[in-house]
């Protein structure tokens, strides 16, 4: 019998800064001499961020959302993952990063399945919001119903909300964002502002959900009969058909950094996230790249990776054939 492990769900729309925050949390727990474990969920078939967590105890769930198509597999795999560890290796904390389009309600549902309920003690659902993009995502002229539905489901479920990237907006815009979030969030969920995920980690990781072993059940988060996912979804059957797509493009040769940035910026506005591993013409070695809010960030890989250079583009209603052709024409 494994011990009960405190767990946190880290949710937030594509490009909101979940991975950056996750790294800060890992550093904090290691400084406390505690052993964290991570569950990483990706829509695509490849986790291009594996190098960031090469020294961690990681369970990868690829090619689907925990919240729908792989939910049953997630419950079983997490149980197998935890029970396969020796007593000495059992984590002190479990951090679950969902995809950018995941509905936290369904992750909560998976964690409270009979197979896991006595092994997982859910402490909080932490939500990151990209404050610089939130008003744009709420506009019917520059966004889609799917995006607005996902954002709402993530906000209304969360027990802690981090308004991230406030350095990219002015005070007037920030006040508008905060007001809109306050109108739909849970009354007991604090709203904290930050840039680059810099926040008081101790406060962030406070317990905000008391499980059924206390006087309040985590199941209280599941009061709504509608799961909130975009598209057609029957919660009981866990079927899901949303318009979010992940397009993976193999990068077979080095490419020019400025050309890459220009190409990404001319893609449809329904593209909300780009990431991958790339080899640049300007310098040797491989780089991990992140693209969101029309910003390209490149970081040199410090360790060897088994992932071949590739690009993963995530968005809604994307014409994958047109995007691939555009890429091939640009980077001949």
């Amino acid at each position: 019998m494994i011990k009960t492990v405190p767990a946190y769900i880290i949710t937030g729309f594509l490009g909101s800064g979940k991975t950056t925050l996750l790294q800060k949390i890992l550093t904090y727990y290691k400084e406390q001499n505690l052993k964290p474990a991570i569950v990483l969920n990706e829509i695509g078939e490849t986790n291009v961020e594996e190098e960031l967590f090469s020294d961690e105890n990681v369970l990868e769930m690829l090619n689907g959302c925990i919240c729908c198509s792989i939910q049953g597999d997630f419950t079983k795999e997490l149980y197998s993952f935890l029970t396969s560890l020796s007593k000495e290796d059992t984590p002190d904390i479990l951090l679950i990063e969902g995809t950018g389009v995941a509905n936290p309600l369904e992750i909560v549902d998976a964690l409270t399945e009979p197979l896991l309920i006595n092994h997982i003690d859910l402490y909080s659902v932490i939500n990151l919001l990209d404050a610089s993009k939130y008003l744009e995502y709420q506009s019917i002229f520059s966004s889609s119903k799917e995006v607005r539905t996902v954002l709402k489901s993530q906000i209304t479920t969360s027990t802690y909300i981090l308004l991230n990237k406030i350095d990219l907006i002015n005070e007037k815009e920030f006040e508008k964002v905060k007001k809109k979030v306050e109108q739909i969030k849970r009354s007991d969920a604090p709203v904290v502002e930050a840039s680059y995920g810099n926040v008081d980690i101790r406060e962030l990781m406070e317990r905000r959900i008391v499980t059924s072993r206390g006087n309040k059940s985590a199941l209280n988060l599941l009061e709504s009969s509608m799961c909130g996912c975009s598209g057609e979804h029957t919660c009981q059957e866990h079927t899901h058909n949303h318009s979010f797509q992940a397009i993976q493009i193999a990068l077979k040769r080095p490419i020019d950094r400025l050309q890459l940035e220009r190409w990404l910026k001319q893609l449809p506005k329904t593209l909300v996230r780009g990431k991958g591993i790339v080899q640049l013409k300007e310098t040797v070695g491989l780089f991990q790249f992140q693209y969101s809010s029309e910003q390209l960030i490149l970081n040199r890989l410090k360790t060897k990776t088994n992932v071949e250079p590739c690009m993963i583009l995530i968005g809604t209603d994307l014409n994958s054939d047109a995007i691939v052709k555009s890429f091939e024409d640009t980077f001949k």
Side-chain angles (χ1 to χ4, degrees):
M1 181 70 70
I2 65 172
K3 70 178 182 181
T4 302
V5 180
Y8 296 82
I9 298 171
I10 301 175
T11 185
F13 197 59
L14 302 156
S16 59
K18 296 188 297 299
T19 301
T20 298
L21 180 64
L22 181 57
Q23 290 179 289
K24 294 179 185 295
I25 296 172
L26 289 171
T27 299
Y28 170 81
Y29 277 115
K30 288 179 179 179
E31 290 173 350
Q32 310 300 315
N33 294 316
L34 296 173
K35 298 190 296 291
I38 312 168
V39 176
L40 295 178
N41 183 209
E42 292 283 353
I43 295 177
E45 297 178 353
T46 306
N47 177 17
V48 296
E49 296 171 339
E50 68 171 13
E51 185 270 341
L52 295 176
F53 306 105
S54 57
D55 296 327
E56 309 296 341
N57 199 356
V58 179
L59 170 63
E60 290 184 339
M61 300 293 293
L62 304 178
N63 206 26
C65 290
I66 291 173
C67 76
C68 51
S69 59
I70 63 172
Q71 184 180 18
D73 291 338
F74 167 66
T75 301
K76 295 174 185 176
E77 288 203 27
L78 180 54
Y79 176 80
S80 297
F81 173 70
L82 293 173
T83 55
S84 67
L85 299 172
S86 65
K87 185 176 181 181
E88 293 74 21
D89 292 331
T90 300
D92 298 305
I93 203 83
L94 181 66
L95 305 168
I96 303 168
E97 181 186 341
T99 71
V101 297
N103 180 355
L105 281 176
E106 296 299 301
I107 304 178
V108 173
D109 193 25
L111 294 177
T112 51
E113 286 289 310
L115 196 63
L116 288 175
I117 189 65
N118 293 319
H119 303 304
I120 298 294
D121 195 359
L122 184 60
Y123 270 42
S124 186
V125 180
I126 299 167
N127 175 223
L128 277 84
L129 278 177
D130 181 348
S132 71
K133 300 288 285 185
Y134 186 72
L135 295 178
E136 178 183 332
Y137 288 151
Q138 294 302 302
S139 170
I140 62 174
F141 302 106
S142 58
S143 183
S144 67
K145 182 180 179 181
E146 288 81 8
V147 169
R148 294 192 294 275
T149 300
V150 168
L151 281 168
K152 184 176 181 180
S153 73
Q154 292 175 345
I155 293 170
T156 56
T157 302
S158 298
T159 57
Y160 183 99
I161 298 171
L162 185 63
L163 293 182
N164 201 26
K165 303 188 180 184
I166 62 167
D167 55 304
L168 300 179
I169 58 175
N170 58 43
E171 185 175 348
K172 184 177 180 181
E173 290 172 321
F174 171 75
E175 290 300 325
K176 286 183 179 180
V177 172
K178 188 173 181 179
K179 183 178 180 180
K180 285 183 175 292
V181 171
E182 292 280 358
Q183 289 173 345
I184 62 173
K185 76 175 185 70
R186 295 167 59 88
S187 60
D188 57 349
V191 178
V192 179
E193 57 189 83
S195 298
Y196 302 100
N198 290 322
V199 66
D200 184 338
I201 301 297
R202 185 173 180 178
E203 177 190 342
L204 176 75
M205 307 309 287
E206 286 182 9
R207 182 169 193 155
R208 302 182 189 279
I209 298 172
V210 180
T211 68
S212 55
R213 285 174 288 277
N215 57 14
K216 180 180 177 184
S217 172
L219 292 173
N220 287 345
L221 290 172
L222 302 174
E223 290 173 354
S224 173
S225 61
M226 295 299 292
C227 73
C229 285
S230 58
E232 300 173 1
H233 192 167
T234 304
C235 292
Q236 293 80 1
E237 298 176 0
H238 300 294
T239 60
H240 194 173
N241 180 25
H242 57 52
S243 62
F244 286 97
Q245 300 154 270
I247 301 171
Q248 184 167 337
I249 301 174
L251 304 179
K252 299 179 181 179
R253 61 181 69 88
I255 58 180
D256 181 87
R257 181 194 184 281
L258 292 177
Q259 194 175 26
L260 172 62
E261 188 168 11
R262 285 195 297 267
W263 181 77
L264 288 168
K265 287 184 176 181
Q266 60 85 39
L267 291 176
K269 295 298 183 182
T270 53
L271 173 73
V272 293
R273 181 84 156 94
K275 55 185 176 179
I277 294 174
V278 60
Q279 184 177 357
L280 300 176
K281 288 182 176 180
E282 298 92 327
T283 183
V284 297
L286 295 176
F287 288 78
Q288 180 186 71
F289 81 86
Q290 305 280 345
Y291 179 77
S292 65
S293 304
E294 296 190 353
Q295 290 186 316
L296 176 64
I297 299 174
L298 290 160
N299 292 300
R300 185 186 294 274
L301 292 181
K302 297 179 181 179
T303 59
K304 186 177 180 181
T305 178
N306 294 323
V307 178
E308 294 295 325
C310 66
M311 177 187 304
I312 296 174
L313 304 173
I314 302 172
T316 62
D317 304 316
L318 298 174
N319 185 329
S320 58
D321 291 338
I323 289 175
V324 171
K325 186 177 187 306
S326 171
F327 176 85
E328 291 173 346
D329 291 344
T330 303
F331 300 97
K332 292 178 179 179

